Amino acid sequence: MTKIPFVDLSFQHEPLINQIEQAILTVLHQGDFIMGKAVAEFETAFANACGVEYGIGVACGTDAIALGLQACGIRPGDEVILPANTFVATLIGVLHAGATPIFVDCDPETALIDLKAAEKAISEQTRAIVPVHLYGQMVSPKQLRDLASAHNLIIFEDAAQAHLAEREGYKAASIGKAAAFSFYPSKNLGAIGDGGILVTNDAEVAQKMRSLRNYGAPQKYLHTEYGTNSRLDTLQAAVLNVKLPHLPEWNNLRNAAAQEYDRLLEPLRSHGIFPIHNQSGTGHIYHLYVIRINESCAIEREKIQAELSAVGIQTGIHYPLPCHLQPAYQYLGYKAGDFPNSEILSKQILSLPMYPGLSQTQIVQVVQALQHILIAPEAAISG
Ligand SMILES: *Cc1c(COP(=O)(O)O)cnc(C)c1O
């Protein structure tokens, strides 16, 4: 059997294993576990890589959003616009900042936030928009900046899936006031546990963020903000320092794999299989490679997923239930039918295996398996 995992981190970690071990041992010997030397090193290196001035490491991406929005001055009562089709952490970040989330729908071709819908959702209370660079493709920086300047909104990027992505000459994290990243292990740049960072060009935001992540204390035992404890572990930063220089090369490999999928999947369009549209060319860093199995496809998504799994090919769904329909957030007052594009996508999307190190042979195997299921369903069932 083929056995193609959804994500395989060994390609990234095996060649670096000695350096990673060394980095971990160094922290162990130094004993600077909290806010150690590696943290400051990584914050500077990562901010530089993004072309942004300041980086402030935190415990996870969710905190980077929650504390980052607060550092940008978002207060209870402020409305913050976000897409309905994002990972729930975007929503949790907005809620933890005390703001009122205002969902909008997405473009059905790119799965990115629909900025026309966002414009319609703006009210007197709207202070910020949180574009999510979903799957590794950036929301148009030009359109975002036009919208934000016309309505005096803060742009706060959720770049958790977009490390070093680019579009229209902008890098992810350089469009607006601040941006949040996650280093969850399977992200394009992943730690060996949880981690996150806020990056910004604004010195005041950076200073406030440093305080918020550290008990709201600008100096020891003086608490000027209602902060929390959310720091990037020195151990995680040490590992991230080893991995960061390889990120551009890993992103290129993802983009090349995606182009190969695009090319091989072309004949399956007539069977109702459409890759999510890439509008940003080589700047798309393909955190995920997502196809849409639309109404014209003879076989339903769950069946396709099960049959791929039966031949050893793991896939994912990002995400099967949009945020506005999640049980915990029904109190926000949204209902089914509010965001039709997000709702339809959630039922039709399928994420194929994608990681640096995914081979040409494996890509061919995935596409052939799909072809087999779609074009010869009888044969596929009987194996
Ligand atoms: C992963 C992710 C986050 C949250 O990151 P954590 O580090 O898991 O807290 C936020 N937004 C998006 C879009 C993500 O994919």
Side-chain angles (χ1 to χ4, degrees):
M1 212 162 61
T2 10
K3 278 275 181 226
I4 303 176
F6 182 61
V7 173
D8 181 358
L9 299 177
S10 63
F11 178 89
Q12 294 174 41
H13 291 161
E14 289 309 321
L16 299 175
I17 202 74
N18 290 336
Q19 276 174 271
I20 292 173
E21 279 179 11
Q22 201 48 58
I24 292 171
L25 285 175
T26 302
V27 175
L28 192 57
H29 290 306
Q30 281 171 189
D32 58 347
F33 304 118
I34 303 297
M35 305 285 277
K37 199 163 145 262
V39 174
E41 267 171 33
F42 177 72
E43 289 175 337
T44 304
F46 190 78
N48 278 343
C50 297
V52 172
E53 191 90 18
Y54 308 101
I56 302 94
V58 289
C60 62
T62 308
D63 283 354
I65 300 170
L67 301 176
L69 284 169
Q70 291 170 66
C72 289
I74 298 302
R75 292 280 160 273
D78 292 342
E79 290 182 358
V80 172
I81 292 175
L82 74 162
N85 64 320
T86 180
F87 181 52
V88 73
T90 317
L91 170 62
I92 293 174
V94 170
L95 289 168
H96 281 192
T100 305
I102 303 294
F103 289 122
V104 297
D105 209 353
C106 65
D107 177 305
E109 301 296 318
T110 61
L112 299 175
I113 187 168
D114 176 347
L115 293 179
K116 293 212 173 68
E119 185 155 35
K120 288 196 193 111
I122 294 169
S123 80
E124 287 288 298
Q125 279 69 49
T126 311
R127 288 284 316 282
I129 180 166
V130 181
V132 179
H133 303 315
L134 199 68
Y135 308 148
Q137 169 163 224
M138 285 175 69
V139 178
S140 166
K142 289 198 182 105
Q143 289 173 34
L144 261 175
R145 288 171 71 104
D146 286 349
L147 177 72
S149 66
H151 298 275
N152 196 24
L153 301 183
I154 291 169
I155 301 172
F156 184 99
E157 297 166 70
D158 179 342
Q161 301 189 359
H163 313 71
L164 307 190
E166 289 183 37
R167 184 166 174 180
E168 298 161 3
Y170 287 89
K171 278 190 181 171
S174 71
I175 307 178
K177 197 166 180 77
F181 290 89
S182 161
F183 303 117
Y184 180 83
S186 65
K187 298 284 158 98
N188 287 39
L189 180 63
I192 54 167
D194 277 311
I197 199 168
L198 184 90
V199 301
T200 179
N201 279 317
D202 187 317
E204 251 177 71
V205 171
Q207 195 184 15
K208 191 133 185 233
M209 187 72 182
R210 279 196 197 97
S211 163
L212 285 173
R213 71 167 171 189
N214 196 33
Y215 318 111
Q219 67 190 67
K220 206 166 190 183
Y221 305 134
L222 176 68
H223 304 277
T224 55
E225 313 268 358
Y226 181 33
T228 187
N229 174 357
S230 178
R231 298 166 299 218
L232 179 62
D233 273 348
T234 308
L235 274 176
Q236 298 302 342
V239 174
L240 288 166
N241 276 327
V242 174
K243 293 181 72 177
L244 178 61
H246 302 275
L247 178 58
E249 156 205 336
W250 292 335
N251 280 346
N252 287 340
L253 288 171
R254 287 175 183 268
N255 193 281
Q259 286 182 40
E260 201 49 26
Y261 268 133
D262 281 350
R263 190 175 71 79
L264 295 171
L265 287 170
E266 194 67 35
L268 292 186
R269 287 177 178 260
S270 55
H271 295 270
I273 302 287
F274 296 88
I276 293 292
H277 189 58
N278 171 9
Q279 288 188 325
S280 48
T282 53
H284 188 331
I285 52 125
Y286 287 95
H287 172 58
L288 297 167
Y289 186 87
V290 179
I291 57 171
R292 183 171 175 186
I293 299 162
N294 81 5
E295 308 78 38
S296 69
C297 185
I299 305 184
E300 62 186 32
R301 177 186 63 183
E302 273 59 34
K303 193 160 155 88
I304 293 175
Q305 186 174 35
E307 295 202 0
L308 285 172
S309 166
V311 295
I313 297 170
Q314 277 183 6
T315 57
I317 296 171
H318 302 88
Y319 298 90
L321 190 64
C323 290
H324 69 291
L325 301 180
Q326 292 291 349
Y329 306 106
Q330 289 312 294
Y331 74 91
L332 294 171
Y334 293 92
K335 58 182 188 319
D338 284 347
F339 305 112
N341 294 336
S342 300
E343 292 168 31
I344 291 167
L345 276 178
S346 72
K347 298 196 173 82
Q348 297 188 334
I349 46 178
L350 187 69
S351 310
L352 302 182
M354 170 54 81
Y355 47 88
L358 182 71
S359 71
Q360 165 71 18
T361 315
Q362 288 173 312
I363 296 169
V364 169
Q365 280 171 344
V366 173
V367 175
Q368 278 178 348
L370 263 173
Q371 250 158 358
H372 192 57
I373 294 164
L374 292 166
I375 300 171
E378 256 40 81
I381 293 161
S382 59

